[in-house]
Amino acid sequence: MNHPTTNAAFPNSSEGEARTVHIREVGPRDGFQNEPETIATDDKIRLINALGRAGLKRIEVASFVRPDVIPQLADGVAVLQGIDVPDDVARMVLVPNSRGLDNALTHRDLFEEVALFVSASETHNKRNINRTVQETMDDVRQMGKRIVDEGLTYCAVVATSFGCPFEGAVPMDRVLDLAEQFAESGATEIGFGDTTGMCNPSYASRFFAAAVARLPEVEITAHFHNTRGQGLANAYAALEAGCRSFESSFGELGGCPVPAGSTGNIATEDLVSMFHEMGVDTGLDLYVLIEAARDAQSTLGRKLTSHSIVAGPVIWSPSV
């Protein structure tokens, strides 16, 4: 499909500064799980297939959690079996513990990446998965070895990396110490989550500069929520600090129970639009992403908070 030029003629893009970023789409897991109304399996499959056509190479598809805990994701295996994405798309699943990994590995042929997670905040970890941080990390060491032995890509996520609604400030060293433990257990990518949107661009700049320096052999990923409208500014700060990997959710789907009314992850299409206008290559088709987000909006029957759904891409080519 031929689309109008969206950024080639942008007068203020940085020439001679060729930068490429990698974006993982997390809407099918992190986004869908926060929807109160059940989304039909066929709708999930259609939307994920659309995301695959946008050029995304990494999509978080499902989570192997107890269905009574997150009923929305109970059809994860059916979704994994039903999607038809290009062969070069890495399908990720999230697992909370060894039992979840046991269940996931019975469907080993349906995915290429596994994500393990912990909260940097003791209180948030306990409320989220009913475990202490130490108990989680003890399990991580065992799970990490199994994931690597299976030949799967082992990714890790540190939630509440930038602040906790229960404990307040989370020390940077605590977050990076947990990241180092993940790396020691075999993780090749570590994401840092702004779970409740408490980060700001100044801290994002300092944090990602420190993370890149401390973990030079690991892919560092930024995961921002737009709870207080600073998500894209934080992504820009992370980019300038050396981060080249990001997670986002089409339509700005997602959220967190605390604080009340939280919006979701930064919208994939808004993030891509910003990067393209800056001359940063994402390898993605912004038009297809926007159409997928609009389809999600129609499917869910409510207005989503993505800006690009309304405004569309920036068009710099002359009008005819």
mmCIF file of all heavy atoms in Angstrom, residues 268-314:
data_model
loop_
_atom_site.group_PDB
_atom_site.id
_atom_site.type_symbol
_atom_site.label_atom_id
_atom_site.label_comp_id
_atom_site.label_asym_id
_atom_site.label_seq_id
_atom_site.Cartn_x
_atom_site.Cartn_y
_atom_site.Cartn_z
ATOM 1 N N THR A 268 1.456 3.258 20.707
ATOM 2 C CA THR A 268 2.480 2.887 19.734
ATOM 3 C C THR A 268 2.500 3.857 18.562
ATOM 4 O O THR A 268 3.564 4.319 18.132
ATOM 5 C CB THR A 268 2.245 1.458 19.225
ATOM 6 O OG1 THR A 268 2.191 0.564 20.331
ATOM 7 C CG2 THR A 268 3.346 1.023 18.276
ATOM 8 N N GLU A 269 1.332 4.198 18.061
ATOM 9 C CA GLU A 269 1.271 5.078 16.895
ATOM 10 C C GLU A 269 1.749 6.492 17.232
ATOM 11 O O GLU A 269 2.366 7.165 16.387
ATOM 12 C CB GLU A 269 -0.142 5.107 16.299
ATOM 13 C CG GLU A 269 -1.234 5.555 17.244
ATOM 14 C CD GLU A 269 -1.814 4.434 18.100
ATOM 15 O OE1 GLU A 269 -1.185 3.359 18.198
ATOM 16 O OE2 GLU A 269 -2.893 4.649 18.676
ATOM 17 N N ASP A 270 1.526 6.964 18.459
ATOM 18 C CA ASP A 270 2.052 8.278 18.856
ATOM 19 C C ASP A 270 3.569 8.239 18.996
ATOM 20 O O ASP A 270 4.271 9.170 18.587
ATOM 21 C CB ASP A 270 1.433 8.719 20.188
ATOM 22 C CG ASP A 270 -0.045 9.074 20.068
ATOM 23 O OD1 ASP A 270 -0.534 9.203 18.929
ATOM 24 O OD2 ASP A 270 -0.706 9.217 21.120
ATOM 25 N N LEU A 271 4.077 7.151 19.565
ATOM 26 C CA LEU A 271 5.524 6.990 19.719
ATOM 27 C C LEU A 271 6.203 6.924 18.357
ATOM 28 O O LEU A 271 7.224 7.585 18.113
ATOM 29 C CB LEU A 271 5.819 5.725 20.521
ATOM 30 C CG LEU A 271 7.287 5.399 20.814
ATOM 31 C CD1 LEU A 271 7.904 6.450 21.719
ATOM 32 C CD2 LEU A 271 7.410 4.004 21.439
ATOM 33 N N VAL A 272 5.624 6.136 17.443
ATOM 34 C CA VAL A 272 6.198 6.006 16.108
ATOM 35 C C VAL A 272 6.132 7.329 15.360
ATOM 36 O O VAL A 272 7.093 7.727 14.683
ATOM 37 C CB VAL A 272 5.476 4.890 15.324
ATOM 38 C CG1 VAL A 272 5.897 4.884 13.860
ATOM 39 C CG2 VAL A 272 5.765 3.532 15.958
ATOM 40 N N SER A 273 5.033 8.034 15.485
ATOM 41 C CA SER A 273 4.908 9.338 14.831
ATOM 42 C C SER A 273 6.001 10.292 15.310
ATOM 43 O O SER A 273 6.649 10.971 14.512
ATOM 44 C CB SER A 273 3.526 9.934 15.103
ATOM 45 O OG SER A 273 3.402 11.209 14.515
ATOM 46 N N MET A 274 6.227 10.336 16.626
ATOM 47 C CA MET A 274 7.269 11.205 17.163
ATOM 48 C C MET A 274 8.642 10.813 16.626
ATOM 49 O O MET A 274 9.410 11.665 16.161
ATOM 50 C CB MET A 274 7.281 11.155 18.694
ATOM 51 C CG MET A 274 8.347 12.056 19.321
ATOM 52 S SD MET A 274 8.441 11.943 21.122
ATOM 53 C CE MET A 274 9.313 10.377 21.332
ATOM 54 N N PHE A 275 8.948 9.521 16.665
ATOM 55 C CA PHE A 275 10.261 9.077 16.186
ATOM 56 C C PHE A 275 10.443 9.391 14.702
ATOM 57 O O PHE A 275 11.503 9.860 14.282
ATOM 58 C CB PHE A 275 10.428 7.581 16.440
ATOM 59 C CG PHE A 275 10.776 7.225 17.863
ATOM 60 C CD1 PHE A 275 10.393 6.000 18.400
ATOM 61 C CD2 PHE A 275 11.495 8.088 18.659
ATOM 62 C CE1 PHE A 275 10.722 5.654 19.694
ATOM 63 C CE2 PHE A 275 11.830 7.756 19.971
ATOM 64 C CZ PHE A 275 11.437 6.530 20.486
ATOM 65 N N HIS A 276 9.426 9.137 13.899
ATOM 66 C CA HIS A 276 9.547 9.409 12.469
ATOM 67 C C HIS A 276 9.776 10.889 12.206
ATOM 68 O O HIS A 276 10.579 11.255 11.336
ATOM 69 C CB HIS A 276 8.301 8.925 11.731
ATOM 70 C CG HIS A 276 8.229 7.438 11.585
ATOM 71 N ND1 HIS A 276 7.257 6.809 10.844
ATOM 72 C CD2 HIS A 276 9.024 6.444 12.079
ATOM 73 C CE1 HIS A 276 7.445 5.493 10.881
ATOM 74 N NE2 HIS A 276 8.503 5.254 11.640
ATOM 75 N N GLU A 277 9.096 11.752 12.933
ATOM 76 C CA GLU A 277 9.284 13.191 12.746
ATOM 77 C C GLU A 277 10.680 13.637 13.159
ATOM 78 O O GLU A 277 11.183 14.654 12.689
ATOM 79 C CB GLU A 277 8.223 13.965 13.524
ATOM 80 C CG GLU A 277 6.808 13.787 13.005
ATOM 81 C CD GLU A 277 6.697 14.070 11.521
ATOM 82 O OE1 GLU A 277 7.060 15.185 11.100
ATOM 83 O OE2 GLU A 277 6.278 13.174 10.769
ATOM 84 N N MET A 278 11.326 12.863 14.025
ATOM 85 C CA MET A 278 12.693 13.149 14.464
ATOM 86 C C MET A 278 13.735 12.520 13.547
ATOM 87 O O MET A 278 14.939 12.697 13.761
ATOM 88 C CB MET A 278 12.899 12.630 15.890
ATOM 89 C CG MET A 278 12.080 13.340 16.949
ATOM 90 S SD MET A 278 12.153 12.448 18.540
ATOM 91 C CE MET A 278 13.919 12.404 18.833
ATOM 92 N N GLY A 279 13.292 11.767 12.545
ATOM 93 C CA GLY A 279 14.230 11.093 11.679
ATOM 94 C C GLY A 279 14.763 9.802 12.251
ATOM 95 O O GLY A 279 15.786 9.290 11.795
ATOM 96 N N VAL A 280 14.066 9.243 13.252
ATOM 97 C CA VAL A 280 14.465 7.979 13.867
ATOM 98 C C VAL A 280 13.698 6.850 13.191
ATOM 99 O O VAL A 280 12.469 6.892 13.077
ATOM 100 C CB VAL A 280 14.173 7.980 15.376
ATOM 101 C CG1 VAL A 280 14.525 6.630 15.997
ATOM 102 C CG2 VAL A 280 14.943 9.100 16.069
ATOM 103 N N ASP A 281 14.413 5.837 12.731
ATOM 104 C CA ASP A 281 13.810 4.734 11.990
ATOM 105 C C ASP A 281 13.215 3.700 12.934
ATOM 106 O O ASP A 281 13.887 3.230 13.854
ATOM 107 C CB ASP A 281 14.877 4.083 11.103
ATOM 108 C CG ASP A 281 14.311 2.950 10.255
ATOM 109 O OD1 ASP A 281 13.097 2.951 10.005
ATOM 110 O OD2 ASP A 281 15.098 2.068 9.861
ATOM 111 N N THR A 282 11.949 3.346 12.700
ATOM 112 C CA THR A 282 11.303 2.288 13.475
ATOM 113 C C THR A 282 11.021 1.052 12.637
ATOM 114 O O THR A 282 10.717 -0.010 13.191
ATOM 115 C CB THR A 282 9.965 2.776 14.057
ATOM 116 O OG1 THR A 282 9.027 2.984 12.986
ATOM 117 C CG2 THR A 282 10.137 4.069 14.848
ATOM 118 N N GLY A 283 11.068 1.197 11.314
ATOM 119 C CA GLY A 283 10.736 0.091 10.435
ATOM 120 C C GLY A 283 9.255 -0.209 10.370
ATOM 121 O O GLY A 283 8.847 -1.243 9.821
ATOM 122 N N LEU A 284 8.410 0.687 10.905
ATOM 123 C CA LEU A 284 6.978 0.435 10.998
ATOM 124 C C LEU A 284 6.181 1.317 10.052
ATOM 125 O O LEU A 284 6.600 2.428 9.711
ATOM 126 C CB LEU A 284 6.502 0.648 12.436
ATOM 127 C CG LEU A 284 7.208 -0.185 13.503
ATOM 128 C CD1 LEU A 284 6.643 0.120 14.874
ATOM 129 C CD2 LEU A 284 7.080 -1.668 13.190
ATOM 130 N N ASP A 285 5.024 0.816 9.647
ATOM 131 C CA ASP A 285 4.103 1.557 8.798
ATOM 132 C C ASP A 285 3.103 2.260 9.707
ATOM 133 O O ASP A 285 2.204 1.624 10.276
ATOM 134 C CB ASP A 285 3.384 0.602 7.847
ATOM 135 C CG ASP A 285 2.544 1.321 6.805
ATOM 136 O OD1 ASP A 285 1.924 2.353 7.139
ATOM 137 O OD2 ASP A 285 2.483 0.842 5.657
ATOM 138 N N LEU A 286 3.240 3.566 9.847
ATOM 139 C CA LEU A 286 2.407 4.325 10.767
ATOM 140 C C LEU A 286 0.941 4.265 10.370
ATOM 141 O O LEU A 286 0.049 4.204 11.229
ATOM 142 C CB LEU A 286 2.897 5.775 10.841
ATOM 143 C CG LEU A 286 2.122 6.718 11.767
ATOM 144 C CD1 LEU A 286 2.056 6.179 13.184
ATOM 145 C CD2 LEU A 286 2.763 8.109 11.744
ATOM 146 N N TYR A 287 0.658 4.283 9.075
ATOM 147 C CA TYR A 287 -0.731 4.227 8.622
ATOM 148 C C TYR A 287 -1.406 2.936 9.069
ATOM 149 O O TYR A 287 -2.553 2.939 9.532
ATOM 150 C CB TYR A 287 -0.792 4.347 7.093
ATOM 151 C CG TYR A 287 -0.611 5.744 6.578
ATOM 152 C CD1 TYR A 287 0.678 6.254 6.365
ATOM 153 C CD2 TYR A 287 -1.698 6.562 6.315
ATOM 154 C CE1 TYR A 287 0.859 7.546 5.887
ATOM 155 C CE2 TYR A 287 -1.516 7.848 5.845
ATOM 156 C CZ TYR A 287 -0.247 8.338 5.635
ATOM 157 O OH TYR A 287 -0.056 9.613 5.174
ATOM 158 N N VAL A 288 -0.722 1.818 8.923
ATOM 159 C CA VAL A 288 -1.298 0.536 9.315
ATOM 160 C C VAL A 288 -1.489 0.479 10.827
ATOM 161 O O VAL A 288 -2.494 -0.057 11.324
ATOM 162 C CB VAL A 288 -0.423 -0.627 8.816
ATOM 163 C CG1 VAL A 288 -0.979 -1.967 9.284
ATOM 164 C CG2 VAL A 288 -0.321 -0.604 7.294
ATOM 165 N N LEU A 289 -0.545 1.033 11.586
ATOM 166 C CA LEU A 289 -0.690 1.091 13.039
ATOM 167 C C LEU A 289 -1.926 1.882 13.444
ATOM 168 O O LEU A 289 -2.689 1.473 14.330
ATOM 169 C CB LEU A 289 0.551 1.734 13.668
ATOM 170 C CG LEU A 289 1.788 0.859 13.857
ATOM 171 C CD1 LEU A 289 2.946 1.719 14.355
ATOM 172 C CD2 LEU A 289 1.496 -0.264 14.858
ATOM 173 N N ILE A 290 -2.115 3.028 12.818
ATOM 174 C CA ILE A 290 -3.269 3.870 13.160
ATOM 175 C C ILE A 290 -4.572 3.151 12.825
ATOM 176 O O ILE A 290 -5.536 3.177 13.609
ATOM 177 C CB ILE A 290 -3.167 5.222 12.440
ATOM 178 C CG1 ILE A 290 -2.027 6.045 13.034
ATOM 179 C CG2 ILE A 290 -4.484 5.991 12.551
ATOM 180 C CD1 ILE A 290 -1.742 7.345 12.305
ATOM 181 N N GLU A 291 -4.603 2.469 11.690
ATOM 182 C CA GLU A 291 -5.815 1.734 11.339
ATOM 183 C C GLU A 291 -6.081 0.610 12.338
ATOM 184 O O GLU A 291 -7.240 0.327 12.675
ATOM 185 C CB GLU A 291 -5.714 1.193 9.917
ATOM 186 C CG GLU A 291 -5.860 2.263 8.842
ATOM 187 C CD GLU A 291 -7.116 3.106 9.038
ATOM 188 O OE1 GLU A 291 -8.215 2.518 9.169
ATOM 189 O OE2 GLU A 291 -7.000 4.348 9.085
ATOM 190 N N ALA A 292 -5.024 -0.044 12.816
ATOM 191 C CA ALA A 292 -5.204 -1.092 13.826
ATOM 192 C C ALA A 292 -5.755 -0.499 15.118
ATOM 193 O O ALA A 292 -6.637 -1.087 15.768
ATOM 194 C CB ALA A 292 -3.874 -1.799 14.087
ATOM 195 N N ALA A 293 -5.248 0.669 15.506
ATOM 196 C CA ALA A 293 -5.742 1.332 16.721
ATOM 197 C C ALA A 293 -7.194 1.766 16.556
ATOM 198 O O ALA A 293 -7.994 1.659 17.491
ATOM 199 C CB ALA A 293 -4.850 2.527 17.048
ATOM 200 N N ARG A 294 -7.544 2.253 15.375
ATOM 201 C CA ARG A 294 -8.935 2.639 15.129
ATOM 202 C C ARG A 294 -9.854 1.422 15.154
ATOM 203 O O ARG A 294 -10.997 1.492 15.628
ATOM 204 C CB ARG A 294 -9.035 3.375 13.795
ATOM 205 C CG ARG A 294 -8.449 4.789 13.848
ATOM 206 C CD ARG A 294 -8.388 5.441 12.474
ATOM 207 N NE ARG A 294 -7.914 6.825 12.580
ATOM 208 C CZ ARG A 294 -7.478 7.551 11.556
ATOM 209 N NH1 ARG A 294 -7.451 7.016 10.333
ATOM 210 N NH2 ARG A 294 -7.076 8.799 11.739
ATOM 211 N N ASP A 295 -9.344 0.300 14.653
ATOM 212 C CA ASP A 295 -10.111 -0.946 14.709
ATOM 213 C C ASP A 295 -10.322 -1.357 16.167
ATOM 214 O O ASP A 295 -11.420 -1.791 16.554
ATOM 215 C CB ASP A 295 -9.379 -2.036 13.932
ATOM 216 C CG ASP A 295 -10.206 -3.313 13.758
ATOM 217 O OD1 ASP A 295 -11.346 -3.366 14.253
ATOM 218 O OD2 ASP A 295 -9.700 -4.260 13.125
ATOM 219 N N ALA A 296 -9.282 -1.217 16.989
ATOM 220 C CA ALA A 296 -9.410 -1.545 18.411
ATOM 221 C C ALA A 296 -10.454 -0.644 19.073
ATOM 222 O O ALA A 296 -11.269 -1.102 19.885
ATOM 223 C CB ALA A 296 -8.062 -1.399 19.107
ATOM 224 N N GLN A 297 -10.437 0.623 18.726
ATOM 225 C CA GLN A 297 -11.409 1.567 19.285
ATOM 226 C C GLN A 297 -12.835 1.151 18.923
ATOM 227 O O GLN A 297 -13.738 1.161 19.773
ATOM 228 C CB GLN A 297 -11.118 2.975 18.765
ATOM 229 C CG GLN A 297 -12.079 4.032 19.270
ATOM 230 C CD GLN A 297 -11.613 5.434 18.889
ATOM 231 O OE1 GLN A 297 -11.138 6.178 19.730
ATOM 232 N NE2 GLN A 297 -11.753 5.794 17.620
ATOM 233 N N SER A 298 -13.030 0.776 17.675
ATOM 234 C CA SER A 298 -14.349 0.328 17.232
ATOM 235 C C SER A 298 -14.754 -0.968 17.925
ATOM 236 O O SER A 298 -15.900 -1.128 18.359
ATOM 237 C CB SER A 298 -14.343 0.137 15.712
ATOM 238 O OG SER A 298 -15.579 -0.372 15.255
ATOM 239 N N THR A 299 -13.807 -1.886 18.048
ATOM 240 C CA THR A 299 -14.087 -3.178 18.674
ATOM 241 C C THR A 299 -14.474 -3.016 20.137
ATOM 242 O O THR A 299 -15.402 -3.672 20.629
ATOM 243 C CB THR A 299 -12.860 -4.101 18.558
ATOM 244 O OG1 THR A 299 -12.563 -4.319 17.167
ATOM 245 C CG2 THR A 299 -13.101 -5.438 19.239
ATOM 246 N N LEU A 300 -13.760 -2.139 20.842
ATOM 247 C CA LEU A 300 -14.020 -1.941 22.263
ATOM 248 C C LEU A 300 -15.235 -1.052 22.514
ATOM 249 O O LEU A 300 -15.771 -1.021 23.624
ATOM 250 C CB LEU A 300 -12.786 -1.343 22.939
ATOM 251 C CG LEU A 300 -11.532 -2.222 22.913
ATOM 252 C CD1 LEU A 300 -10.333 -1.461 23.469
ATOM 253 C CD2 LEU A 300 -11.754 -3.503 23.701
ATOM 254 N N GLY A 301 -15.628 -0.302 21.503
ATOM 255 C CA GLY A 301 -16.812 0.531 21.642
ATOM 256 C C GLY A 301 -16.645 1.719 22.554
ATOM 257 O O GLY A 301 -17.616 2.190 23.161
ATOM 258 N N ARG A 302 -15.441 2.221 22.655
ATOM 259 C CA ARG A 302 -15.200 3.413 23.470
ATOM 260 C C ARG A 302 -14.066 4.214 22.852
ATOM 261 O O ARG A 302 -13.250 3.682 22.095
ATOM 262 C CB ARG A 302 -14.853 3.049 24.915
ATOM 263 C CG ARG A 302 -13.541 2.285 25.073
ATOM 264 C CD ARG A 302 -13.245 2.002 26.542
ATOM 265 N NE ARG A 302 -12.009 1.255 26.724
ATOM 266 C CZ ARG A 302 -10.801 1.810 26.802
ATOM 267 N NH1 ARG A 302 -10.678 3.139 26.718
ATOM 268 N NH2 ARG A 302 -9.729 1.061 26.973
ATOM 269 N N LYS A 303 -14.016 5.487 23.175
ATOM 270 C CA LYS A 303 -12.978 6.359 22.643
ATOM 271 C C LYS A 303 -11.651 6.059 23.327
ATOM 272 O O LYS A 303 -11.560 6.064 24.559
ATOM 273 C CB LYS A 303 -13.365 7.829 22.849
ATOM 274 C CG LYS A 303 -12.335 8.823 22.344
ATOM 275 C CD LYS A 303 -12.842 10.246 22.492
ATOM 276 C CE LYS A 303 -11.764 11.282 22.207
ATOM 277 N NZ LYS A 303 -11.064 11.073 20.939
ATOM 278 N N LEU A 304 -10.627 5.795 22.530
ATOM 279 C CA LEU A 304 -9.291 5.583 23.078
ATOM 280 C C LEU A 304 -8.544 6.915 23.132
ATOM 281 O O LEU A 304 -8.943 7.894 22.500
ATOM 282 C CB LEU A 304 -8.527 4.554 22.234
ATOM 283 C CG LEU A 304 -9.181 3.166 22.155
ATOM 284 C CD1 LEU A 304 -8.324 2.205 21.345
ATOM 285 C CD2 LEU A 304 -9.440 2.601 23.553
ATOM 286 N N THR A 305 -7.458 6.944 23.881
ATOM 287 C CA THR A 305 -6.797 8.219 24.185
ATOM 288 C C THR A 305 -5.603 8.535 23.293
ATOM 289 O O THR A 305 -4.930 9.541 23.502
ATOM 290 C CB THR A 305 -6.363 8.246 25.662
ATOM 291 O OG1 THR A 305 -5.656 7.039 25.980
ATOM 292 C CG2 THR A 305 -7.577 8.348 26.571
ATOM 293 N N SER A 306 -5.330 7.697 22.313
ATOM 294 C CA SER A 306 -4.266 7.978 21.355
ATOM 295 C C SER A 306 -4.570 9.254 20.580
ATOM 296 O O SER A 306 -5.700 9.495 20.150
ATOM 297 C CB SER A 306 -4.138 6.810 20.377
ATOM 298 O OG SER A 306 -3.572 7.204 19.149
ATOM 299 N N HIS A 307 -3.545 10.093 20.384
ATOM 300 C CA HIS A 307 -3.719 11.317 19.601
ATOM 301 C C HIS A 307 -3.743 11.030 18.112
ATOM 302 O O HIS A 307 -4.474 11.679 17.355
ATOM 303 C CB HIS A 307 -2.592 12.302 19.925
ATOM 304 C CG HIS A 307 -2.612 12.786 21.336
ATOM 305 N ND1 HIS A 307 -3.535 13.682 21.817
ATOM 306 C CD2 HIS A 307 -1.819 12.479 22.393
ATOM 307 C CE1 HIS A 307 -3.313 13.923 23.093
ATOM 308 N NE2 HIS A 307 -2.285 13.195 23.470
ATOM 309 N N SER A 308 -2.941 10.066 17.671
ATOM 310 C CA SER A 308 -2.825 9.799 16.240
ATOM 311 C C SER A 308 -4.088 9.182 15.654
ATOM 312 O O SER A 308 -4.318 9.278 14.448
ATOM 313 C CB SER A 308 -1.627 8.880 15.970
ATOM 314 O OG SER A 308 -0.417 9.505 16.354
ATOM 315 N N ILE A 309 -4.899 8.544 16.493
ATOM 316 C CA ILE A 309 -6.180 8.031 16.011
ATOM 317 C C ILE A 309 -7.005 9.179 15.435
ATOM 318 O O ILE A 309 -7.680 9.043 14.419
ATOM 319 C CB ILE A 309 -6.952 7.333 17.148
ATOM 320 C CG1 ILE A 309 -6.353 5.959 17.441
ATOM 321 C CG2 ILE A 309 -8.427 7.189 16.788
ATOM 322 C CD1 ILE A 309 -7.056 5.211 18.547
ATOM 323 N N VAL A 310 -6.935 10.337 16.080
ATOM 324 C CA VAL A 310 -7.720 11.493 15.665
ATOM 325 C C VAL A 310 -6.990 12.296 14.595
ATOM 326 O O VAL A 310 -7.547 12.621 13.536
ATOM 327 C CB VAL A 310 -8.030 12.406 16.875
ATOM 328 C CG1 VAL A 310 -8.800 13.642 16.434
ATOM 329 C CG2 VAL A 310 -8.803 11.640 17.934
ATOM 330 N N ALA A 311 -5.732 12.622 14.844
ATOM 331 C CA ALA A 311 -5.000 13.544 13.976
ATOM 332 C C ALA A 311 -4.382 12.883 12.752
ATOM 333 O O ALA A 311 -4.168 13.536 11.731
ATOM 334 C CB ALA A 311 -3.895 14.241 14.773
ATOM 335 N N GLY A 312 -4.104 11.588 12.848
ATOM 336 C CA GLY A 312 -3.422 10.916 11.755
ATOM 337 C C GLY A 312 -1.955 11.304 11.691
ATOM 338 O O GLY A 312 -1.457 12.086 12.513
ATOM 339 N N PRO A 313 -1.230 10.795 10.712
ATOM 340 C CA PRO A 313 0.188 11.137 10.562
ATOM 341 C C PRO A 313 0.373 12.597 10.129
ATOM 342 O O PRO A 313 -0.545 13.207 9.572
ATOM 343 C CB PRO A 313 0.678 10.190 9.462
ATOM 344 C CG PRO A 313 -0.391 9.157 9.300
ATOM 345 C CD PRO A 313 -1.659 9.820 9.699
ATOM 346 N N VAL A 314 1.546 13.113 10.370
ATOM 347 C CA VAL A 314 1.916 14.428 9.834
ATOM 348 C C VAL A 314 2.268 14.249 8.357
ATOM 349 O O VAL A 314 3.045 13.374 8.008
ATOM 350 C CB VAL A 314 3.126 15.023 10.594
ATOM 351 C CG1 VAL A 314 3.531 16.348 9.971
ATOM 352 C CG2 VAL A 314 2.785 15.181 12.072
#
